[in-house]
Amino acid sequence: FVWQNWRFKAYTANCDYVDPSEADLTINTSTEHFLTDLWFERLPKGRRVVLQGNNMNHGQHRSSTLTIDDFKSRYSLTEILYCNQMQFEYPTWGFTRYMLIGIK
């Protein structure tokens, strides 16, 4: 398999204001850190997405969801290709991480 004309752009800035029109795949592995869903709303229909979030109670988390169903409702996709969750347990705390792969 050969990647032709492959390009990758990573953003560590406010993604609410990034122009999403050039990409064909959007990956956000920390949805819980965003104050709003404007970044998701601006993605065009038909965009492939990989989304991860969690229900961890943490001071830097601005928009955690409580369950995988809440996560699916928040990031409504026209087609879900993969949906799962993983529980993380530590001696004094724990959380559940969610993952969605699909088409907006």
Side-chain angles (χ1 to χ4, degrees), residues 76-91:
S76 181
L77 303 178
T78 59
E79 182 178 356
I80 294 176
L81 303 172
Y82 179 84
C83 175
N84 209 344
Q85 61 185 5
M86 182 177 285
Q87 185 69 32
F88 291 85
E89 292 294 335
Y90 299 97

Side-chain angles (χ1 to χ4, degrees), residues 27-46:
I27 301 170
N28 184 337
T29 60
S30 58
T31 58
E32 68 278 0
H33 288 271
F34 289 78
L35 276 174
T36 72
D37 293 333
L38 182 60
W39 65 272
F40 183 76
E41 293 165 11
R42 293 184 68 222
L43 297 178
K45 285 191 172 204

Side-chain angles (χ1 to χ4, degrees), residues 7 14 24 47 63 71-72 78 95 102-103:
R7 293 181 294 151
N14 188 337
D24 64 352
R47 170 68 51 85
S63 59
F71 192 66
K72 286 170 34 180
T78 59
F95 66 95
I103 310 297

